[in-house]
Amino acid sequence: MPTADRQPPTILAIETSCDETAAAVLRGEQELLSDVVASQAELHAEYGGVVPEIACRAHAEAVVPVVRQALRQAGVGLEGLDAVAVTRGPGLVGALLVGLSFAKALAWARGLPLVGVNHLEAHLAAAFLEHDLEFPFVGLVVSGGHTALYQSPRRGTYRLLGQTLDDAAGEAFDKVAKLLGLGYPGGVVVDRLARQGDPERFAFPRPMMGSGRLDFSFSGLKTAVRTHRERFLKGLTEQDLWDTCASFQEAVVDTLLAKARTALERTGAACLVVCGGVACNSRLRERAAELADRLGVRLVLPRPRLCTDNAAMVAAAGLHRFLQGHRSGPDLDAVPTWHLEDL
Ligand code: KG4
Ligand code: ZN
């Protein structure tokens, strides 16, 4: 039975696109009733990156307990749901299929509407969970798999302004952390060590700056850190390591924000949303706030928990699409490469 007429709709969302199995229950656009994330990071750590087969198996084991926990924490039974949302792509195909199969079976068994969600739209939708946004806004999505700038003239519509031509920013953080022997996933460790370092000690390149284009490139920066690391064959002192982390991070942040600034100026947008796992980075958050202040634009940064992969953001995107009348059929398939501007 759907909830009573006047109660806002309640949606269960499931996310399994990469290495987090997550489920959340959202009532209306901002009442987050539960948000459960089971991370597989430890399973992938010894390989220094996500291993698709391991991810699929771990999702298959975790999806039922994670959904149960989300419903229990929300205090909502299956009869209290109005819809089910699930990440359809982009992501690892096998990993996506676990969430999709489960969501389709649940929706079919309970006669609930199903909504397939784009993972990148979900990252941006995290901003709507805590804020009412003005349009148009510029969205900078920075994660382990993606780095792109969008202009959103209205909810659910996106124009691609620029994207990375090689590595994503999060991937660069993870690869540099690996080069420096800091483990996986490394972004959060680089962030922590960089706090004790000098961001100006080493002059790493700022690729594609001054090109006038809004695209990014991070593979040259990663190579520069590798060459720098080789110069220190005898080993980096602790201070050298901190300074390397700080200088690398500053190069990434400089590049991201220079392009975001150009995007704001070109579009005339008065609001900047920064989201995705790298939006947890403390230096990026600090410098984005300074930039927004200087330009007189509003900055919306979801809290860190909502920046890394989670199902609350999938619920936010899914609920909005559900309210707009979107419905997916039982033939809903995974879309490993799915551009936001094609929605
Ligand atoms: O959004 P996300 O959880 O997954 C993807 O959709 O890719 O992003 C994960 C990425 C990883 O590359 C991770 O190292 C990075 O976000 N990350 C960070 C920080 N926290 C997570 N990068 C820099 N600083 C952080 N504090
Ligand atoms: Zn993500």
Side-chain angles (χ1 to χ4, degrees):
M1 275 274 292
T3 45
D5 277 353
R6 258 172 295 148
Q7 196 161 29
T10 302
I11 196 161
L12 165 71
I14 298 164
E15 153 68 40
T16 63
S17 67
C18 190
D19 61 344
E20 257 94 33
T21 316
V25 179
L26 178 69
R27 177 170 294 149
E29 302 229 27
Q30 291 184 334
E31 195 187 343
L32 187 57
L33 301 180
S34 65
D35 171 21
V36 178
V37 179
S39 173
Q40 307 170 2
E42 270 179 29
L43 293 178
H44 301 288
E46 67 174 290
Y47 304 97
V50 178
V51 182
E53 290 77 11
I54 295 179
C56 295
R57 204 173 322 131
H59 283 308
E61 283 167 14
V63 69
V64 172
V66 163
V67 168
R68 276 220 178 96
Q69 196 184 338
L71 291 169
R72 198 173 333 112
Q73 271 180 19
V76 172
L78 290 173
E79 68 291 345
L81 296 177
D82 296 289
V84 178
V86 62
T87 304
R88 186 184 176 204
L92 302 170
V93 67
L96 289 164
L97 283 171
V98 176
L100 269 172
S101 313
F102 180 83
K104 283 199 276 190
L106 179 66
W108 180 79
R110 305 297 304 195
L112 289 166
L114 179 68
V115 186
V117 170
N118 178 296
H119 183 83
L120 302 175
E121 175 166 63
H123 271 303
L124 285 166
F128 292 90
L129 279 167
E130 297 173 316
H131 309 271
D132 297 315
L133 298 197
E134 303 97 51
F135 293 91
F137 68 77
V138 165
L140 173 62
V141 183
V142 263
S143 71
H146 298 88
T147 295
L149 270 167
Y150 299 94
Q151 180 193 20
S152 176
R154 71 192 81 83
R155 187 94 195 243
T157 302
Y158 309 92
R159 191 161 75 84
L160 180 69
L161 301 174
Q163 63 186 328
T164 183
L165 304 178
D166 40 57
D167 293 349
E171 200 179 345
F173 267 99
D174 295 338
K175 286 180 176 170
V176 161
K178 196 171 168 186
L179 272 171
L180 298 174
L182 303 177
Y184 171 86
V188 66
V189 185
V190 172
D191 185 353
R192 183 159 40 77
L193 299 184
R195 280 175 218 166
Q196 299 162 83
D198 173 3
E200 289 175 9
R201 166 123 179 251
F202 302 115
F204 291 126
R206 270 74 174 149
M208 304 209 44
M209 292 272 257
S211 65
R213 290 173 60 181
L214 293 175
D215 292 324
F216 306 89
S217 164
F218 292 106
S219 69
L221 174 57
K222 177 195 64 197
T223 308
V225 177
R226 178 178 294 122
T227 311
H228 160 85
R229 175 75 190 85
E230 282 159 5
R231 268 185 37 224
F232 282 87
L233 268 184
K234 290 197 200 85
L236 296 161
T237 65
E238 206 166 44
Q239 189 61 53
D240 294 336
L241 179 65
W242 296 341
D243 293 347
T244 303
C245 288
S247 302
F248 158 75
Q249 178 176 272
E250 204 67 8
V252 176
V253 171
D254 269 355
T255 314
L256 292 173
L257 292 182
K259 306 279 172 171
R261 179 191 183 136
T262 308
L264 286 162
E265 287 167 353
R266 283 196 195 155
T267 58
C271 178
L272 172 66
V273 175
V274 186
C275 60
V278 180
C280 294
N281 184 267
S282 56
R283 186 70 177 145
L284 177 60
R285 294 177 86 88
E286 184 182 292
R287 297 236 352 246
E290 286 166 15
L291 175 70
D293 250 13
R294 218 173 321 124
L295 298 181
V297 303
R298 181 171 170 220
L299 172 68
V300 177
L301 275 168
R303 64 188 144 91
R305 161 104 187 168
L306 296 175
C307 287
T308 45
D309 284 352
N310 66 84
M313 66 184 196
V314 179
L319 184 80
H320 187 76
R321 295 222 164 246
F322 171 70
L323 293 173
Q324 286 181 321
H326 285 246
R327 300 291 181 269
S328 305
D331 56 344
L332 185 69
D333 54 353
V335 188
T337 306
W338 186 9
H339 303 294
L340 200 44
E341 58 280 20
D342 295 338
L343 285 186

